[in-house]
Amino acid sequence: MEGRGGPPGPYRATKLWNEITTSFRAGMPLRKHRQHFKKYGNCFTAGEAVDWLYDLLRNNSNFGPEVTRQQTVQLLRKFLKNHVIEDIKGRWGSENLDDNSQLFRFPTTSPLKPLPRRHPELRKSSIDNFPKDKDSTFKLRNLSRRTKKHGLHFSQENVEKIKDEIINEDQENLVHNREISQEDVEEVWRYIILIYLQTILGVPSLEEFINPRQIIPQYVMYNVANTSRHGVVVLQDKADDLPHWVLSAMKCLANWPRSNDVNNPTYAGFERDVFRTIADYFLDLPEPLLTFEYYELFVNILGLLKPHLERVAIDALQLCCLLLPPPNRRKLQLLMRMISRMSQNVDLPKLHDAMGTRSLMIHTFSRCVLCCAEEVDLDELLAARLVSFLMDHHQEILQVPSYLQTAVEKHLDYLKKGHIKNPGDGQVTPLPVYSYCEQISAQEFDEQKVSTSQAAIAELLETIIKNKNLPLKEKRKKLKQFQKEYPLIYRKRFPTTESEAALFGDKPAIKQPMLNLRKPKFRSLRY
């Protein structure tokens, strides 16, 4: 079964819970079982349920192949606790379930959870309702444009001219070289983040993803401006940073065995002790690194983790991770760098008897990265899926996108110069616009690839034809070579021999018919 991903929006974890429980209830095979000399119909063993649900989760795009069998058992325990299933005697409410032959069945009640009602404030979080600064009375229309590239990437060049313009709603109140306040700067940062995020996600509104007031411009500005040469956030207040002993422990395992600290002891099990020290620190943090506030946002981005949407997910996560408080972003960057290196380090001794290094990293730190303030039954699986993706793409996701600073500077420059009518012609100077790419289908990409290539080759042919500095003999030689390589394009340009001859200003050479020179027949002189 391939996961549908579920609709984006608030309470997506609850929607995924309902999707999984419905699929499990509808697809889990039921049959007769014997237990203690008694037969029971329409039931299944815990081991059979683990097998079936394990396969379902691994093939669901929301969770993927990183799901472990133990996580599947944990989810079945949640099923038992929430009365999705019950034991053969009708008992439920506990988590007394193991991967064994214990019998269970489905209750007659519905396993679906009702969706909580949203707070009225969150219903106003559309980009259309985004509050503008009192002096910034401009409105942004649709900026999405299609390019000839497959996939979603940003570009300031090689795109078609934007047809829609950003227009001014109150031109008379603006003047040249107006003073830009700090409030103006912050509002522009918030506005640009929202515009780009909406464009990446390809949605008409961000209402189901984030409340604009959840974006703290000061965090974004700091995360963009204060980075090391490796792109990691540098904190001015060292009290917010990781403790020195944690940094030393992380550096030790990330560079194992080439640690810079030559005083490291070498007793057996030292690596496990160091790892346990790091894990304990992150597990004791008061909230996950992605914060409780952004839980719904990141869970919605998880729905984009499909092969054909991987690029979109990377671009969206790149922006969303800029929203984090700087200490959280720094800790996330350092943690991802460490666990990514550890999972690829073949020289690192085994840290767990029954689990590989990568699986151990995901299992240990997933809840430190993402979880909900209130317990959600799919937290562990969703967090594991996100951490796995972050490990593979952390270098790109946790870097600052180059287009962001440029976009903000152009908007601020516009605000500073104002939006004034030119005296005499009544024309209005347009605002700077930004070009985006829109994802296209593979078929359209292939069609554009062929047409673009052919157009470029045809342009090359015209260049040869119109080159006046090219000797006639050399031009004939190049055209002959072109005709051999691209006969269809050549024939389209020169459909007849006359059109080809006209290029050189002479008539087409017509070969004269060969004279029929027969040898005269000689009659024999013999009679």
Side-chain angles (χ1 to χ4, degrees), residues 93 95 110 130 143 158 177 193 240 272 277 289 300 306 338-340 346 363 382 392 424 464 491 502 509:
E95 295 189 7
S110 171
F130 173 63
L143 292 181
N158 299 328
N177 296 322
I193 286 283
D240 295 329
R272 296 192 180 196
T277 299
L289 297 179
N300 274 302
K306 301 177 178 67
M338 182 196 74
I339 64 178
S340 179
V346 295
H363 176 76
L382 293 173
D392 295 335
I464 298 173
R491 192 180 305 126

Side-chain angles (χ1 to χ4, degrees), residues 218-237:
Q218 294 90 334
Y219 290 169
V220 180
M221 294 161 64
Y222 190 97
N223 290 332
V224 169
N226 298 275
T227 59
S228 69
R229 60 190 180 92
H230 298 295
V232 178
V233 172
V234 177
L235 300 178
Q236 295 178 355
D237 188 353

Side-chain angles (χ1 to χ4, degrees), residues 185-193 220-221 404-405 408:
V185 175
E186 293 174 2
E187 289 301 315
V188 167
W189 274 99
R190 179 186 283 118
Y191 195 65
I192 292 296
I193 286 283
V220 180
M221 294 161 64
L404 197 61
Q405 183 80 37
V408 171

